[in-house]
Amino acid sequence: MSEVPVRIAVDAMGGDHAPSVVLEGVRLAIDADPTLEVVLVGPAAVVAPVTHDRCSTVIASEVIAMDEHPASAVRSKKDSSIVVGCALVRDGEAAGFFSAGSTGACMAAATLVMRRIPGVARPAIATVLPGASNPTVLLDIGANADVRPEMLVQFAEMGKAYAQVILGVASPRVGLLNIGEEPTKGSQLAQETHALMAAGVEGFVGNVEGRDVPAGTVDVIVTDGFTGNVVLKTLEGLAAMFFGQIKEVFTESLPNRIAASVVAPSLKRLKQQLDPDVYGGAPLLGVNGVCIIGHGSSNAIAVSNGVAVAARAARGDLTSRIASMIADAPASWE
């Protein structure tokens, strides 16, 4: 059965290797999805030459650089590719937006232009992490360093919605990242959050620890943006170190190189299994529209997957799911 047609706006200038990898990623995404349409947003010199019956273009004369102050740049560069892309979603001209540009600028533009879903205290950035048993949605990973218990409860519900739409988990299991499994462990914030989640979050299984993150013990792990970002960067660094060390071992001698030729297919599959680019970027959850933020170093495959996950989120009516969850929230969340 064919997918429901959907139109996704894409920032042609987002990322360290834009626009070439973005254009290639868009082509790959369109080729892989026969009912996907893309609105490519960027300077005329970049987007005008693009010709495809399912790729239209919108001219944006400005670009927000990675090193610019996010909020100031969004306010001063209203014709930037990021701001224009978010406006297309706000105005109903696109069902979602993808950019591998400045994370801060994407957050600021989505919050200021798309606005927050009514009732959402703070939007949160999520990511899907590969796990030993199953992938896990981790949030927040950097949007909110300081949080309140009620905000973490909202993050849990938003993370559940994302796991349902993107991972296909009907009844997501939710864990609160902490330094121990017992309800009395951790900071005052953790203990108060545990009590709220236990009382009001369906699927909450209790505290989880750092070792549970790569194990895939639960489907959604909730924490503050400071801790989540440290966890994410630590895992990325460990993965890079791990595969770097394996490469050194298998190239240091002739017998090792021969052994490497035997296990190379299995190692390639393992690397692909652990590659976060498969899940297509990080969603900004809680804004009134689909916004997927790719890594600055995204290659064409990562861009293609980012566009695909934006389409999946739009088709799964992610924004409405979150809005419904927040509207039905207990009074204790407010």
Side-chain angles (χ1 to χ4, degrees), residues 196-331:
L196 284 180
M197 286 190 177
V201 176
E202 185 177 351
F204 180 59
V205 301
N207 291 330
V208 294
E209 298 182 72
R211 61 172 175 264
D212 295 304
V213 178
T217 305
V218 294
D219 304 297
V220 179
I221 294 180
V222 178
T223 188
D224 62 90
F226 181 93
T227 305
N229 191 268
V230 171
V231 169
L232 177 63
K233 296 299 174 59
T234 300
L235 290 175
E236 289 177 345
L238 282 172
M241 188 261 314
F242 175 72
F243 284 106
Q245 291 295 315
I246 288 179
K247 183 177 180 180
E248 285 188 17
V249 168
F250 279 126
T251 57
E252 65 185 9
S253 67
L254 179 59
N256 286 15
R257 288 194 291 272
I258 294 173
S261 66
V262 176
V263 300
S266 296
L267 287 175
K268 184 176 181 181
R269 285 195 300 272
L270 176 62
K271 188 173 183 179
Q272 290 173 339
Q273 180 183 338
L274 298 178
D275 186 357
D277 286 345
V278 170
Y279 300 101
L284 180 64
L285 303 177
V287 293
N288 199 19
V290 172
C291 178
I292 306 296
I293 307 170
H295 201 285
S297 61
S298 292
N299 56 23
I301 298 296
V303 170
S304 175
N305 290 336
V307 176
V309 80
R312 197 175 311 132
R315 287 174 173 137
D317 211 8
L318 175 64
T319 304
S320 294
R321 283 181 185 238
I322 293 175
S324 178
M325 287 178 170
I326 299 302
D328 293 339

Side-chain angles (χ1 to χ4, degrees), residues 153-215:
V153 175
Q154 287 193 348
F155 294 174
E157 294 294 348
M158 294 192 294
K160 283 171 55 181
Y162 196 69
Q164 289 171 340
V165 172
I166 301 302
L167 301 181
V169 181
S171 301
R173 298 161 298 161
V174 180
L176 174 65
L177 190 60
N178 206 335
I179 59 172
E181 296 180 356
E182 297 83 1
T184 55
K185 284 293 183 72
S187 63
Q188 182 177 350
L189 170 66
Q191 293 178 40
E192 292 178 3
T193 301
H194 188 286
L196 284 180
M197 286 190 177
V201 176
E202 185 177 351
F204 180 59
V205 301
N207 291 330
V208 294
E209 298 182 72
R211 61 172 175 264
D212 295 304
V213 178

Side-chain angles (χ1 to χ4, degrees), residues 12-22 65-67 99-102 294-299 303:
M13 304 308 293
D16 300 336
H17 310 295
S20 59
V21 298
V22 177
M66 291 287 195
D67 58 353
S99 174
S102 163
H295 201 285
S297 61
S298 292
N299 56 23
V303 170

